[in-house]
Amino acid sequence: MSYNPTVASIITAKLKNAKDIRGTFYLPDCNQKDVEDTVNYLHAKYPAVINETELSYDGLADVTYDLSFSKLSADHQ
Protein backbone atom coordinates (compact mmCIF):
# COMPACT_ATOMS: atom_id res chain seq x y z
CA MET A 1 0.00 0.00 0.00
CA SER A 2 1.28 3.42 -0.92
CA TYR A 3 0.45 6.52 -2.89
CA ASN A 4 -2.60 5.72 -4.97
CA PRO A 5 -3.36 7.87 -8.05
CA THR A 6 -7.06 6.98 -7.87
CA VAL A 7 -7.26 8.20 -4.27
CA ALA A 8 -5.32 11.33 -5.25
CA SER A 9 -7.87 12.01 -8.01
CA ILE A 10 -10.75 11.62 -5.58
CA ILE A 11 -9.10 14.00 -3.10
CA THR A 12 -8.35 16.56 -5.82
CA ALA A 13 -11.93 16.44 -7.11
CA LYS A 14 -13.33 16.88 -3.61
CA LEU A 15 -11.03 19.85 -2.98
CA LYS A 16 -12.05 21.51 -6.24
CA ASN A 17 -15.70 21.14 -5.21
CA ALA A 18 -15.20 22.03 -1.54
CA LYS A 19 -17.70 24.57 -0.24
CA ASP A 20 -15.54 25.58 2.72
CA ILE A 21 -12.03 27.01 2.60
CA ARG A 22 -11.02 24.80 5.54
CA GLY A 23 -12.36 21.40 6.45
CA THR A 24 -11.97 17.68 6.87
CA PHE A 25 -13.45 14.77 5.00
CA TYR A 26 -13.01 11.00 4.89
CA LEU A 27 -12.92 8.40 2.15
CA PRO A 28 -14.39 5.37 3.95
CA ASP A 29 -14.83 3.37 0.73
CA CYS A 30 -11.10 3.48 -0.04
CA ASN A 31 -8.29 1.45 1.47
CA GLN A 32 -7.35 3.57 4.48
CA LYS A 33 -3.64 2.81 4.32
CA ASP A 34 -3.70 4.09 0.71
CA VAL A 35 -5.59 7.19 1.87
CA GLU A 36 -3.04 7.79 4.63
CA ASP A 37 -0.07 7.35 2.29
CA THR A 38 -1.63 9.47 -0.46
CA VAL A 39 -2.60 12.29 1.91
CA ASN A 40 0.90 12.34 3.38
CA TYR A 41 2.41 12.42 -0.12
CA LEU A 42 0.13 15.35 -1.01
CA HIS A 43 1.07 17.04 2.27
CA ALA A 44 4.75 16.80 1.33
CA LYS A 45 3.95 18.33 -2.04
CA TYR A 46 1.43 20.95 -0.79
CA PRO A 47 2.12 21.49 2.94
CA ALA A 48 0.05 24.69 3.16
CA VAL A 49 -3.02 22.97 1.71
CA ILE A 50 -3.07 19.39 3.00
CA ASN A 51 -2.37 18.40 6.61
CA GLU A 52 -0.42 15.27 7.41
CA THR A 53 -2.62 12.39 8.58
CA GLU A 54 -2.52 9.04 10.31
CA LEU A 55 -5.06 6.32 10.93
CA SER A 56 -7.29 7.20 13.86
CA TYR A 57 -8.73 4.83 16.43
CA ASP A 58 -11.75 4.21 14.21
CA GLY A 59 -9.44 3.11 11.38
CA LEU A 60 -10.09 6.11 9.14
CA ALA A 61 -7.53 8.53 7.73
CA ASP A 62 -8.79 12.11 7.57
CA VAL A 63 -8.20 14.54 4.74
CA THR A 64 -7.85 17.95 6.39
CA TYR A 65 -7.31 20.92 4.12
CA ASP A 66 -6.87 24.69 4.09
CA LEU A 67 -7.47 26.30 0.72
CA SER A 68 -6.92 29.87 1.89
CA PHE A 69 -3.46 30.05 0.30
CA SER A 70 -4.23 27.81 -2.66
CA LYS A 71 -5.11 28.61 -6.26
CA LEU A 72 -8.26 26.62 -5.58
CA SER A 73 -9.38 29.25 -3.05
CA ALA A 74 -10.20 31.68 -5.87
CA ASP A 75 -13.32 29.59 -6.48
CA HIS A 76 -14.44 30.26 -2.90
CA GLN A 77 -14.20 34.04 -2.82
Side-chain angles (χ1 to χ4, degrees):
M1 325 244 169
S2 60
Y3 171 83
N4 184 315
T6 301
V7 172
S9 294
I10 294 169
I11 292 170
T12 302
K14 285 188 162 283
L15 291 176
K16 286 183 180 176
N17 293 318
K19 294 179 181 169
D20 297 317
I21 289 185
R22 292 177 191 86
T24 299
F25 61 87
Y26 299 88
L27 302 174
D29 296 330
C30 295
N31 177 296
Q32 293 304 293
K33 184 61 178 156
D34 286 349
V35 174
E36 178 186 27
D37 291 343
T38 302
V39 168
N40 289 336
Y41 170 84
L42 293 172
H43 167 71
K45 197 169 180 179
Y46 307 106
V49 177
I50 301 285
N51 289 1
E52 191 172 13
T53 193
E54 59 185 30
L55 294 178
S56 63
Y57 292 111
D58 62 6
L60 294 175
D62 65 273
V63 182
T64 300
Y65 63 91
D66 181 347
L67 300 175
S68 60
F69 297 106
S70 161
K71 293 178 193 174
L72 295 172
S73 68
D75 296 337
H76 300 283
Q77 295 178 356

